[in-house]
Amino acid sequence: FKPRPTCQLRHLGATANRLSMPAKLQGSFKTNERPIKTTLTDSATFEEDQQIHGLISSLPLVRYLRSTSHSSTIAAGQPKYTELHLHSKIHPSAVSTHLVGGSLLGQNKLPMRPQLFVRDGPTVRMIATCYIGSQLCGHPGYVHGGLPFVLFDDLFARCASMTFNSGVGMTANMDLQFRKPSIPDRVYIVRAEAMKREGRKVWLSGSMRCLDSFTAEQMAAKPAATGDGLSVEEELGSLVVEASSLFVEPKFASVCCLLRTTTIMTIIC
């Protein structure tokens, strides 16, 4: 495999987290399972991983978000983001059965787990970057339309789980508006945000943008973003999908929390 010199990476969707819930349930909840690798780093893919990391790290938006994550002093009113990778804490025994955390990962598919920057607080907001490879197409040359559904489902589920005290959120409905075709071998930026909550319901919205082809050197020459709003690279790219969704906290969520707490206490004791 010969790595491409320019940014052509692709994006990928995700269904809701299902780490310890029954298979028939689609949702997300917090977990403290030990982490697993965030990239596919065997000898055949190591060079590609490094290239993709370089492309994503060079983005002005990522450099800004990372600075808020690592900085000990943040200006008043400036949001702080926590950096992590989607599904990086799935237990190794669950990887083989997980769609986004396992099946969709791989060379020319999702070479690395989507990188997340999460803002907690009154309004939960998430900004994700990912690369989608050439083996995730429907029509030749175009990303399969189901991938954005999968990606938004996982990101919305994570936002919802942070909104509910139980940490469990499940999809009630989702609506996607496709604005332009998604192209493979590109970097994508996906935004998700919890807009409103009423009791056990939370409404979310998001957008997905495909970035133009670039090299890490070209992007690194641009100044870092100065805020978490729409970045220069997003404005130069293409809006491909807009999404909205309703998630609910199931009535059995308190039971899930009790089971997890009991299990943890049993292990500690």
Side-chain angles (χ1 to χ4, degrees):
F1 173 82
K2 184 177 180 181
R4 299 179 179 84
T6 60
C7 140
Q8 299 196 324
L9 305 165
R10 257 189 356 197
H11 191 153
L12 175 47
T15 55
N17 260 341
R18 308 179 180 87
L19 300 183
S20 345
M21 298 176 65
K24 65 179 180 179
L25 301 178
Q26 298 183 5
S28 173
F29 60 86
K30 302 167 186 174
T31 177
N32 292 316
E33 296 287 1
R34 64 179 181 273
I36 58 179
K37 294 180 180 179
T38 58
T39 57
L40 309 176
T41 53
D42 57 35
S43 58
T45 61
F46 179 77
E47 194 171 356
E48 182 184 18
D49 289 342
Q50 294 300 103
Q51 181 195 19
I52 293 170
H53 274 299
L55 288 170
I56 291 177
S57 296
S58 72
L59 295 175
L61 178 61
V62 168
R63 282 183 275 147
Y64 165 77
L65 295 172
R66 189 168 283 160
S67 71
T68 71
S69 176
H70 297 162
S71 177
S72 57
T73 58
I74 298 180
Q78 182 181 14
K80 181 173 182 178
Y81 283 82
T82 301
E83 182 179 0
L84 56 126
H85 286 83
L86 185 64
H87 301 311
S88 61
K89 294 185 178 181
I90 295 178
H91 194 279
S93 64
V95 171
S96 63
T97 61
H98 198 282
L99 177 61
V100 178
S103 301
L104 289 176
L105 288 178
Q107 192 174 12
N108 297 319
K109 295 191 290 185
L110 268 192
M112 61 179 287
R113 300 177 189 281
Q115 188 171 8
L116 307 183
F117 292 91
V118 182
R119 186 186 77 178
D120 204 349
T123 300
V124 178
R125 176 180 295 171
M126 198 170 295
I127 301 175
T129 61
C130 63
Y131 181 90
I132 300 179
S134 58
Q135 294 182 4
L136 295 174
C137 291
H139 293 292
Y142 297 101
V143 176
H144 192 287
L147 285 177
F149 277 91
V150 176
L151 178 62
F152 276 114
D153 194 32
D154 268 27
L155 294 180
F156 284 160
R158 193 172 187 94
C159 284
S161 72
M162 295 175 65
T163 302
F164 298 129
N165 293 333
S166 66
V168 182
M170 301 178 68
T171 315
N173 62 56
M174 189 180 303
D175 178 67
L176 266 66
Q177 300 293 324
F178 292 91
R179 303 306 182 189
K180 289 185 178 181
S182 301
I183 302 173
D185 292 322
R186 292 290 179 91
V187 171
Y188 285 78
I189 294 179
V190 187
R191 293 173 177 265
E193 184 173 355
M195 305 302 294
K196 180 181 71 171
R197 177 185 172 182
E198 291 181 2
R200 295 190 299 108
K201 298 179 180 180
V202 61
W203 285 262
L204 307 105
S205 67
S207 63
M208 174 178 170
R209 285 178 167 82
C210 174
L211 303 189
D212 291 341
S213 180
F214 64 93
T215 65
E217 291 74 18
Q218 290 171 338
M219 200 60 75
K222 300 179 182 292
T226 56
D228 59 359
L230 201 65
S231 62
V232 173
E233 60 268 36
E234 289 175 282
E235 291 178 341
L236 294 175
S238 301
L239 174 65
V240 294
V241 182
E242 291 180 305
S244 59
S245 183
L246 168 64
F247 270 67
V248 298
E249 182 181 40
K251 294 180 179 179
F252 61 75
S254 58
V255 178
C256 292
C257 293
L258 178 61
L259 288 174
R260 291 202 302 276
T261 302
T262 303
T263 302
I264 293 171
M265 292 304 296
T266 301
I267 295 173
I268 292 175
C269 297

